[in-house]
Amino acid sequence: MNDPDWLVEQFETHRNHLQTMAYRILGSLSEADDAVQESWIRLSRTDSSKVENMGGWLTTIVSRVCLDMLRVRKSRREELTLMRVSEPLNSKQDGSDPEYEALLADSVGLAMLMVLGNLNPAERIAFVLHDIFALTFSEIAPIIGRNEIAARQLASRARRRIQGAKVAADSEGFKKKRELVDAFLAASRSGDFEKLLAVLDPDVVLRQDPAFPPVAAWPIVQGAEAVAKGFAGRAQGARRILINGSIGAVVAPRGKMLFVLEFKIIEGKITEIEMIAEQSRIRQLALAEMKD
Protein backbone atom coordinates (compact mmCIF):
# COMPACT_ATOMS: atom_id res chain seq x y z
CA MET A 1 0.00 0.00 0.00
CA ASN A 2 1.38 3.40 -0.99
CA ASP A 3 1.44 6.15 1.61
CA PRO A 4 1.80 9.46 -0.35
CA ASP A 5 3.76 11.25 2.37
CA TRP A 6 6.14 8.32 2.80
CA LEU A 7 6.68 8.07 -0.97
CA VAL A 8 7.47 11.77 -1.23
CA GLU A 9 9.94 11.50 1.65
CA GLN A 10 11.65 8.50 0.08
CA PHE A 11 11.86 10.15 -3.32
CA GLU A 12 13.26 13.44 -1.98
CA THR A 13 15.93 11.48 -0.11
CA HIS A 14 17.28 10.24 -3.46
CA ARG A 15 16.44 13.23 -5.69
CA ASN A 16 19.89 14.88 -5.76
CA HIS A 17 21.59 11.58 -6.59
CA LEU A 18 19.08 10.88 -9.35
CA GLN A 19 19.42 14.36 -10.86
CA THR A 20 23.21 14.18 -10.82
CA MET A 21 23.21 10.73 -12.40
CA ALA A 22 20.67 11.73 -15.07
CA TYR A 23 22.68 14.83 -15.92
CA ARG A 24 25.89 12.85 -16.26
CA ILE A 25 24.15 10.49 -18.65
CA LEU A 26 22.19 13.06 -20.68
CA GLY A 27 24.37 16.18 -20.50
CA SER A 28 21.30 18.43 -20.16
CA LEU A 29 19.74 19.76 -16.97
CA SER A 30 16.28 20.08 -18.51
CA GLU A 31 16.35 16.51 -19.80
CA ALA A 32 17.72 15.29 -16.47
CA ASP A 33 14.80 16.97 -14.70
CA ASP A 34 12.39 15.27 -17.13
CA ALA A 35 13.96 11.88 -16.43
CA VAL A 36 13.71 12.35 -12.67
CA GLN A 37 10.11 13.50 -12.96
CA GLU A 38 9.28 10.42 -15.02
CA SER A 39 10.81 8.23 -12.31
CA TRP A 40 8.51 9.89 -9.75
CA ILE A 41 5.48 9.19 -11.94
CA ARG A 42 6.47 5.54 -12.21
CA LEU A 43 7.08 5.30 -8.47
CA SER A 44 3.68 6.81 -7.69
CA ARG A 45 2.05 4.15 -9.88
CA THR A 46 3.98 1.26 -8.34
CA ASP A 47 3.12 -0.83 -5.32
CA SER A 48 6.01 0.36 -3.19
CA SER A 49 5.57 -2.52 -0.75
CA LYS A 50 7.23 -4.67 -3.39
CA VAL A 51 10.29 -2.38 -3.65
CA GLU A 52 12.99 -3.74 -1.34
CA ASN A 53 15.73 -1.21 -2.18
CA MET A 54 14.24 2.18 -3.04
CA GLY A 55 17.56 3.78 -4.04
CA GLY A 56 18.47 0.90 -6.32
CA TRP A 57 14.98 0.76 -7.82
CA LEU A 58 14.98 4.50 -8.61
CA THR A 59 18.50 4.32 -10.02
CA THR A 60 17.40 1.54 -12.37
CA ILE A 61 14.25 3.40 -13.45
CA VAL A 62 16.07 6.70 -14.11
CA SER A 63 18.78 4.86 -16.04
CA ARG A 64 16.21 3.16 -18.25
CA VAL A 65 14.39 6.45 -18.84
CA CYS A 66 17.71 8.08 -19.81
CA LEU A 67 18.51 5.18 -22.14
CA ASP A 68 15.18 5.65 -23.90
CA MET A 69 15.79 9.39 -24.19
CA LEU A 70 19.24 8.81 -25.69
CA ARG A 71 17.84 6.39 -28.22
CA VAL A 72 15.14 8.86 -29.25
CA ARG A 73 17.73 11.60 -29.51
CA LYS A 74 19.94 9.42 -31.71
CA SER A 75 17.08 8.30 -33.95
CA ARG A 76 16.09 11.93 -34.51
CA ARG A 77 19.73 12.92 -34.97
CA GLU A 78 19.31 15.58 -32.35
CA GLU A 79 22.44 17.45 -31.39
CA LEU A 80 23.62 17.38 -27.82
CA THR A 81 23.55 20.82 -26.26
CA LEU A 82 25.90 20.87 -23.33
CA MET A 83 24.33 22.63 -20.41
CA ARG A 84 26.07 23.84 -17.27
CA VAL A 85 26.12 21.66 -14.20
CA SER A 86 27.96 20.06 -11.45
CA GLU A 87 27.06 23.13 -9.43
CA PRO A 88 24.46 22.29 -6.79
CA LEU A 89 21.29 21.65 -8.73
CA ASN A 90 19.38 24.21 -6.70
CA SER A 91 21.99 26.91 -7.27
CA LYS A 92 20.74 30.43 -7.91
CA GLN A 93 23.90 31.42 -9.79
CA ASP A 94 22.91 32.48 -13.31
CA GLY A 95 26.30 31.82 -14.88
CA SER A 96 26.74 35.41 -16.09
CA ASP A 97 30.13 35.75 -14.42
CA PRO A 98 32.87 34.47 -16.76
CA GLU A 99 35.01 33.37 -13.80
CA TYR A 100 32.08 31.39 -12.40
CA GLU A 101 31.51 29.83 -15.81
CA ALA A 102 35.15 28.81 -15.95
CA LEU A 103 34.91 27.13 -12.55
CA LEU A 104 31.80 25.25 -13.62
CA ALA A 105 33.28 24.03 -16.87
CA ASP A 106 36.46 22.91 -15.14
CA SER A 107 34.61 21.10 -12.35
CA VAL A 108 32.11 19.37 -14.62
CA GLY A 109 34.56 18.20 -17.23
CA LEU A 110 32.93 19.75 -20.28
CA ALA A 111 35.27 17.79 -22.50
CA MET A 112 34.11 14.52 -20.96
CA LEU A 113 30.50 15.44 -21.70
CA MET A 114 31.42 16.13 -25.31
CA VAL A 115 33.14 12.78 -25.63
CA LEU A 116 30.20 11.05 -23.95
CA GLY A 117 28.03 12.60 -26.62
CA ASN A 118 29.93 10.58 -29.23
CA LEU A 119 29.19 7.25 -27.54
CA ASN A 120 26.22 5.09 -28.37
CA PRO A 121 23.48 4.97 -25.67
CA ALA A 122 24.49 1.60 -24.21
CA GLU A 123 28.18 2.57 -23.98
CA ARG A 124 27.27 5.81 -22.30
CA ILE A 125 24.99 4.21 -19.72
CA ALA A 126 27.50 1.44 -18.93
CA PHE A 127 30.38 3.86 -18.48
CA VAL A 128 28.54 6.44 -16.37
CA LEU A 129 26.88 3.92 -14.07
CA HIS A 130 30.06 1.89 -13.52
CA ASP A 131 32.93 4.39 -13.63
CA ILE A 132 31.16 7.38 -12.07
CA PHE A 133 28.47 5.85 -9.85
CA ALA A 134 30.15 2.52 -9.05
CA LEU A 135 27.31 0.20 -10.03
CA THR A 136 28.37 -3.38 -10.69
CA PHE A 137 28.08 -4.86 -14.16
CA SER A 138 25.53 -7.34 -12.84
CA GLU A 139 23.37 -4.34 -11.91
CA ILE A 140 24.01 -2.55 -15.21
CA ALA A 141 23.38 -5.51 -17.53
CA PRO A 142 19.56 -5.68 -17.15
CA ILE A 143 19.27 -1.90 -17.48
CA ILE A 144 20.82 -1.90 -20.96
CA GLY A 145 19.45 -5.28 -21.97
CA ARG A 146 22.83 -7.03 -22.26
CA ASN A 147 24.60 -9.72 -20.30
CA GLU A 148 27.26 -8.91 -17.72
CA ILE A 149 30.20 -9.59 -20.05
CA ALA A 150 28.75 -7.34 -22.76
CA ALA A 151 28.13 -4.57 -20.21
CA ARG A 152 31.76 -4.78 -19.10
CA GLN A 153 32.95 -4.61 -22.70
CA LEU A 154 30.77 -1.57 -23.43
CA ALA A 155 32.14 0.31 -20.43
CA SER A 156 35.71 -0.63 -21.35
CA ARG A 157 35.22 0.58 -24.93
CA ALA A 158 33.73 3.85 -23.69
CA ARG A 159 36.58 4.30 -21.22
CA ARG A 160 39.19 3.92 -23.95
CA ARG A 161 37.45 6.50 -26.13
CA ILE A 162 37.11 8.97 -23.26
CA GLN A 163 40.70 8.64 -22.16
CA GLY A 164 41.84 9.14 -25.73
CA ALA A 165 45.27 8.39 -27.06
CA LYS A 166 47.94 8.79 -24.43
CA VAL A 167 49.95 11.58 -25.97
CA ALA A 168 53.37 12.45 -24.69
CA ALA A 169 51.89 14.81 -22.12
CA ASP A 170 55.07 14.82 -20.07
CA SER A 171 57.32 15.85 -22.92
CA GLU A 172 58.74 19.34 -22.90
CA GLY A 173 57.41 20.08 -26.38
CA PHE A 174 53.87 19.10 -25.39
CA LYS A 175 54.01 21.22 -22.24
CA LYS A 176 55.13 24.25 -24.24
CA LYS A 177 52.24 23.82 -26.69
CA ARG A 178 49.81 23.51 -23.80
CA GLU A 179 51.20 26.66 -22.21
CA LEU A 180 50.93 28.49 -25.53
CA VAL A 181 47.27 27.55 -25.98
CA ASP A 182 46.57 28.45 -22.35
CA ALA A 183 48.17 31.84 -22.89
CA PHE A 184 46.11 32.39 -26.04
CA LEU A 185 42.84 31.54 -24.28
CA ALA A 186 43.69 33.68 -21.24
CA ALA A 187 44.59 36.66 -23.42
CA SER A 188 41.42 36.16 -25.44
CA ARG A 189 39.23 36.13 -22.33
CA SER A 190 40.88 39.21 -20.82
CA GLY A 191 41.05 41.11 -24.11
CA ASP A 192 44.81 41.57 -23.86
CA PHE A 193 45.65 42.47 -27.46
CA GLU A 194 49.42 42.57 -26.95
CA LYS A 195 49.54 39.12 -25.35
CA LEU A 196 47.49 37.74 -28.21
CA LEU A 197 50.00 39.14 -30.69
CA ALA A 198 52.81 37.58 -28.67
CA VAL A 199 51.53 34.03 -29.19
CA LEU A 200 50.41 34.41 -32.80
CA ASP A 201 52.67 34.03 -35.82
CA PRO A 202 52.66 37.28 -37.87
CA ASP A 203 51.18 35.36 -40.81
CA VAL A 204 48.70 33.30 -38.78
CA VAL A 205 45.60 32.09 -40.65
CA LEU A 206 42.19 31.66 -39.03
CA ARG A 207 39.85 29.37 -40.94
CA GLN A 208 36.31 29.91 -39.73
CA ASP A 209 33.40 27.56 -40.24
CA PRO A 210 30.53 29.00 -42.31
CA ALA A 211 28.26 26.76 -40.25
CA PHE A 212 28.73 29.35 -37.48
CA PRO A 213 26.49 32.16 -38.86
CA PRO A 214 28.32 35.23 -37.49
CA VAL A 215 31.41 34.41 -39.57
CA ALA A 216 29.81 33.11 -42.78
CA ALA A 217 30.70 36.28 -44.69
CA TRP A 218 34.42 36.15 -43.84
CA PRO A 219 35.55 32.54 -43.41
CA ILE A 220 39.30 33.23 -43.68
CA VAL A 221 41.18 35.81 -41.62
CA GLN A 222 44.90 36.39 -42.15
CA GLY A 223 47.53 38.19 -40.12
CA ALA A 224 48.18 38.42 -36.39
CA GLU A 225 46.47 41.77 -35.86
CA ALA A 226 43.28 40.76 -37.63
CA VAL A 227 43.09 37.43 -35.79
CA ALA A 228 43.88 39.07 -32.44
CA LYS A 229 41.11 41.63 -32.96
CA GLY A 230 38.68 38.82 -33.65
CA PHE A 231 39.52 36.98 -30.43
CA ALA A 232 40.17 39.87 -28.03
CA GLY A 233 37.64 39.88 -25.21
CA ARG A 234 36.01 36.65 -26.37
CA ALA A 235 36.31 32.91 -25.73
CA GLN A 236 34.83 33.36 -22.24
CA GLY A 237 33.53 29.81 -22.36
CA ALA A 238 36.61 28.31 -24.06
CA ARG A 239 38.33 25.37 -22.41
CA ARG A 240 41.40 23.37 -23.39
CA ILE A 241 40.75 19.92 -24.86
CA LEU A 242 42.56 17.16 -26.76
CA ILE A 243 41.52 16.94 -30.41
CA ASN A 244 42.88 13.96 -32.30
CA GLY A 245 45.71 13.78 -29.77
CA SER A 246 46.68 17.46 -30.14
CA ILE A 247 45.86 20.44 -27.96
CA GLY A 248 42.77 22.36 -28.99
CA ALA A 249 39.86 24.14 -27.37
CA VAL A 250 36.11 23.89 -27.10
CA VAL A 251 34.18 27.17 -27.04
CA ALA A 252 31.10 26.91 -24.88
CA PRO A 253 29.88 30.23 -23.43
CA ARG A 254 27.44 29.68 -20.56
CA GLY A 255 27.72 25.97 -21.16
CA LYS A 256 26.34 25.95 -24.72
CA MET A 257 28.79 24.34 -27.11
CA LEU A 258 29.38 26.48 -30.20
CA PHE A 259 32.53 25.15 -31.86
CA VAL A 260 35.97 23.66 -31.36
CA LEU A 261 39.31 25.17 -32.31
CA GLU A 262 42.24 23.23 -33.73
CA PHE A 263 45.67 24.86 -33.46
CA LYS A 264 48.76 24.39 -35.59
CA ILE A 265 51.90 25.42 -33.71
CA ILE A 266 55.34 25.88 -35.25
CA GLU A 267 58.42 27.12 -33.40
CA GLY A 268 56.51 28.42 -30.42
CA LYS A 269 53.87 30.37 -32.35
CA ILE A 270 50.31 29.62 -33.41
CA THR A 271 50.39 29.55 -37.21
CA GLU A 272 46.88 28.26 -37.98
CA ILE A 273 43.56 28.12 -36.15
CA GLU A 274 40.69 26.13 -37.59
CA MET A 275 37.18 26.59 -36.28
CA ILE A 276 34.84 23.59 -36.57
CA ALA A 277 31.17 24.27 -35.87
CA GLU A 278 29.45 21.73 -38.10
CA GLN A 279 28.18 19.01 -35.78
CA SER A 280 28.80 16.19 -38.25
CA ARG A 281 32.46 17.20 -38.44
CA ILE A 282 32.78 17.48 -34.67
CA ARG A 283 31.45 13.95 -34.24
CA GLN A 284 34.30 12.68 -36.41
CA LEU A 285 36.94 14.15 -34.11
CA ALA A 286 38.60 12.17 -31.35
CA LEU A 287 37.93 14.39 -28.36
CA ALA A 288 39.35 13.70 -24.92
CA GLU A 289 39.39 15.42 -21.59
CA MET A 290 42.73 16.95 -20.72
CA LYS A 291 44.04 17.13 -17.18
CA ASP A 292 46.69 19.54 -16.00
Side-chain angles (χ1 to χ4, degrees):
M1 180 177 179
N2 287 350
D3 174 49
D5 292 337
W6 181 84
L7 279 183
V8 170
E9 181 181 351
Q10 289 294 305
F11 187 77
E12 291 302 322
T13 299
H14 299 285
R15 178 185 288 274
N16 284 343
H17 167 75
L18 297 175
Q19 286 182 309
T20 302
M21 183 183 68
Y23 172 77
R24 288 288 187 176
I25 293 171
L26 296 168
S28 163
L29 272 180
S30 61
E31 290 187 348
D33 286 341
D34 290 343
V36 172
Q37 181 61 25
E38 176 62 23
S39 72
W40 163 250
I41 293 173
R42 296 190 186 188
L43 175 61
S44 65
R45 295 173 177 172
T46 300
D47 183 357
S48 59
S49 64
K50 298 180 179 180
V51 178
E52 297 181 0
N53 180 346
M54 184 61 69
W57 188 89
L58 287 170
T59 294
T60 298
I61 294 303
V62 170
S63 299
R64 287 175 175 167
V65 171
C66 290
L67 182 59
D68 290 341
M69 294 172 74
L70 288 173
R71 285 170 173 165
V72 169
R73 178 193 288 168
K74 183 178 181 181
S75 66
R76 293 179 179 175
R77 298 185 181 276
E78 293 174 353
E79 304 299 344
L80 173 63
T81 299
L82 298 174
M83 307 298 288
R84 71 176 76 86
V85 310
S86 249
E87 81 265 46
L89 292 172
N90 60 355
S91 173
K92 301 299 182 182
Q93 175 59 263
D94 65 4
S96 59
D97 180 358
E99 292 186 6
Y100 180 76
E101 290 175 14
L103 289 174
L104 286 186
D106 289 343
S107 64
V108 173
L110 183 59
M112 176 177 283
L113 287 176
M114 290 186 65
V115 177
L116 282 173
N118 288 334
L119 303 179
N120 69 47
E123 288 174 337
R124 186 164 177 156
I125 294 283
F127 173 80
V128 170
L129 293 184
H130 181 267
D131 284 46
I132 299 179
F133 293 98
L135 269 69
T136 65
F137 290 115
S138 62
E139 294 172 306
I140 296 169
I143 294 175
I144 60 176
R146 309 288 182 90
N147 60 38
E148 188 173 341
I149 294 175
R152 186 185 301 274
Q153 291 173 339
L154 286 169
S156 178
R157 186 189 309 158
R159 193 178 305 116
R160 289 195 299 270
R161 294 182 66 182
I162 287 171
Q163 291 174 342
K166 292 296 183 181
V167 297
D170 294 330
S171 69
E172 195 62 32
F174 188 89
K175 288 180 179 179
K176 288 182 178 179
K177 289 181 179 180
R178 184 183 64 191
E179 291 169 357
L180 189 68
V181 170
D182 284 346
F184 171 83
L185 295 177
S188 178
R189 294 187 197 108
S190 65
D192 193 320
F193 188 75
E194 294 302 320
K195 287 186 178 179
L196 279 170
L197 289 179
V199 299
L200 295 172
D201 184 87
D203 299 317
V204 63
V205 175
L206 168 63
R207 305 182 192 281
Q208 305 191 100
D209 193 334
F212 188 55
V215 302
W218 36 286
I220 297 179
V221 180
Q222 294 180 298
E225 291 197 7
V227 172
K229 287 178 181 178
F231 277 100
R234 299 184 179 180
Q236 300 298 337
R239 299 293 171 262
R240 191 191 337 120
I241 190 174
L242 280 176
I243 303 176
N244 295 334
S246 298
I247 302 172
V250 55
V251 178
R254 291 179 175 85
K256 182 178 180 180
M257 200 275 287
L258 296 180
F259 52 83
V260 299
L261 297 172
E262 287 190 296
F263 298 94
K264 183 176 181 179
I265 298 172
I266 298 177
E267 296 182 355
K269 297 286 185 179
I270 296 172
T271 59
E272 290 185 23
I273 305 172
E274 182 172 5
M275 169 196 292
I276 302 175
E278 175 60 46
Q279 292 297 312
S280 62
R281 292 183 63 198
I282 291 177
R283 285 194 294 269
Q284 294 174 2
L285 301 173
L287 304 176
E289 194 172 21
M290 186 175 180
K291 301 295 186 181
D292 289 325

